[in-house]
Amino acid sequence: AHLGVAMQSGTEVSKEAGDMILLDNNFASIIQAIETGRLLSDNLKKVAVYLLPGGSWSQIWPLFFSLWFGMPLALSAFLAIVFCMLNDVFLSLAMVTESPERDIMSRSPAIRSKDHLLNWKLLLHAYIFVGTIECFTGFFCFWYYWSDHKVPFTSFMFTYEKFGVDPKTPYSRAQLTEMKYVAQSVYYCSVCLFQVFNYFATRTRYTSITEHNPFWGKGRNLYAFGAILMSIIVQIIVTQVFWFNQVFHTAPVPVKYVLPTLGFGALWLLIDELRKWFVRNYPDGLAAKIAW
């Protein structure tokens, strides 16, 4: 057998030879153990899918865009650290406490030699699908702020150190610096908000959010709402407290520049719900083959 099972009441020789020891001497416990193992594997994958788009993808592209296209940095190093060390941690801890989906025991057994925690399907979903939409949302809000202040797209592309000088803008260097702090805070808050939508989409791999909702039933997870509240509090402190504004160059964020994130986040929830529907109803289709 690939897995030797021994009883707690058995001999020492059988327990030493076995891979699993049933402490309650009940074979039915094997089913519960398998479900627990699958749940742990599921939740670890969900945490990875949740963390990768915001914690790396949406943070590395502002740096690349600044280096390649000479535009102002969309996310400061301080805000990136706060995002990774505080905002993302709360919801990732809530993700660990998720209960099993209803189809978890009907899935095919994992093959240890082939199935890995991080595979190309998970990375494709986290980076290309979620990460691209999340990164685009952050840049959209970032550019929305500049555009609303009469600084067009062409005024900061390929300008590098000449930003605000060539081509000219109606603002002084000092004003542009303060505006950059606001724009960076807008990007930060936008990504934080999108991660909330990412959490609700990622908490189920194949089950619909309506069947595994966090409010009631077997899928209830009230820790998520406490985590969302903590993330909001961190955002308010970092962007609204004067000391942080002065020391770490953050700035208060006008709400209207973050509101587009609600639309993009809802769109991603809808797209992911459609993906899960296709996976459930067409198990041999493309969506099922690339499903993480």
Side-chain angles (χ1 to χ4, degrees), residues 146-184:
W146 286 110
S147 177
D148 195 50
H149 285 77
K150 311 304 179 184
V151 180
F153 183 78
T154 55
S155 294
F156 55 77
M157 293 299 291
F158 300 104
T159 54
Y160 295 96
E161 71 277 1
K162 296 181 180 180
F163 175 58
V165 178
D166 183 22
K168 291 185 178 180
T169 63
Y171 304 99
S172 64
R173 276 292 184 93
Q175 289 175 316
L176 288 173
T177 300
E178 293 298 324
M179 292 170 66
K180 183 182 70 172
Y181 298 155
V182 178
Q184 290 176 340

Side-chain angles (χ1 to χ4, degrees), residues 111-278:
I111 302 174
R112 287 192 295 176
S113 61
K114 296 181 179 180
D115 295 334
H116 305 284
L117 179 62
L118 297 179
N119 53 37
W120 69 268
K121 296 178 181 179
L122 186 146
L123 297 176
L124 175 71
H125 182 87
Y127 284 133
I128 304 304
F129 298 148
V130 189
T132 300
I133 296 178
E134 182 170 334
C135 195
F136 174 82
T137 302
F139 274 112
F140 181 90
C141 295
F142 179 79
W143 288 325
Y144 174 35
Y145 170 79
W146 286 110
S147 177
D148 195 50
H149 285 77
K150 311 304 179 184
V151 180
F153 183 78
T154 55
S155 294
F156 55 77
M157 293 299 291
F158 300 104
T159 54
Y160 295 96
E161 71 277 1
K162 296 181 180 180
F163 175 58
V165 178
D166 183 22
K168 291 185 178 180
T169 63
Y171 304 99
S172 64
R173 276 292 184 93
Q175 289 175 316
L176 288 173
T177 300
E178 293 298 324
M179 292 170 66
K180 183 182 70 172
Y181 298 155
V182 178
Q184 290 176 340
S185 300
V186 167
Y187 184 96
Y188 160 74
C189 290
S190 173
V191 173
C192 287
L193 179 56
F194 193 96
Q195 280 292 79
V196 174
F197 289 94
N198 182 25
Y199 168 81
F200 286 112
T202 305
R203 63 188 300 270
T204 59
R205 295 178 64 185
Y206 312 122
T207 307
S208 172
I209 190 175
T210 59
E211 299 174 357
H212 192 83
N213 70 82
F215 301 100
W216 65 80
K218 294 183 178 181
R220 184 174 68 171
N221 188 355
L222 300 181
Y223 292 110
F225 302 101
I228 292 171
L229 179 61
M230 291 299 297
S231 180
I232 294 174
I233 291 174
V234 170
Q235 293 177 62
I236 293 174
I237 292 174
V238 169
T239 60
Q240 300 294 328
V241 174
F242 181 76
W243 184 81
F244 283 96
N245 298 157
Q246 292 297 307
V247 175
F248 296 105
H249 303 307
T250 61
V253 176
V255 176
K256 75 171 187 175
Y257 299 117
V258 184
L259 288 180
T261 310
L262 296 177
F264 287 111
L267 176 63
W268 170 244
L269 268 180
L270 177 61
I271 292 173
D272 201 55
E273 280 294 298
L274 289 173
R275 178 192 69 84
K276 295 171 186 175
W277 184 86
F278 277 105

Side-chain angles (χ1 to χ4, degrees), residues 32-172:
Q32 184 179 358
I34 293 174
E35 183 179 18
T36 301
R38 292 188 176 192
L39 175 61
L40 291 174
S41 176
D42 258 15
N43 286 350
L44 284 173
K45 289 183 178 181
K46 291 173 182 178
V47 169
V49 171
Y50 171 77
L51 289 176
L52 290 176
S56 58
W57 203 246
S58 297
Q59 296 190 12
I60 196 66
W61 283 110
L63 179 61
F64 285 159
F65 278 23
S66 180
L67 293 174
W68 295 343
F69 304 120
M71 58 177 286
L73 188 63
L75 184 69
S76 68
F78 170 73
L79 291 176
I81 293 172
V82 171
F83 179 84
C84 287
M85 300 298 293
L86 294 175
N87 296 100
D88 252 6
V89 169
F90 298 126
L91 277 171
S92 63
L93 290 175
M95 188 75 79
V96 174
T97 64
E98 287 292 339
S99 56
E101 299 176 43
R102 66 176 186 174
D103 67 334
I104 193 169
M105 294 300 289
S106 62
R107 302 175 194 167
S108 301
I111 302 174
R112 287 192 295 176
S113 61
K114 296 181 179 180
D115 295 334
H116 305 284
L117 179 62
L118 297 179
N119 53 37
W120 69 268
K121 296 178 181 179
L122 186 146
L123 297 176
L124 175 71
H125 182 87
Y127 284 133
I128 304 304
F129 298 148
V130 189
T132 300
I133 296 178
E134 182 170 334
C135 195
F136 174 82
T137 302
F139 274 112
F140 181 90
C141 295
F142 179 79
W143 288 325
Y144 174 35
Y145 170 79
W146 286 110
S147 177
D148 195 50
H149 285 77
K150 311 304 179 184
V151 180
F153 183 78
T154 55
S155 294
F156 55 77
M157 293 299 291
F158 300 104
T159 54
Y160 295 96
E161 71 277 1
K162 296 181 180 180
F163 175 58
V165 178
D166 183 22
K168 291 185 178 180
T169 63
Y171 304 99
S172 64

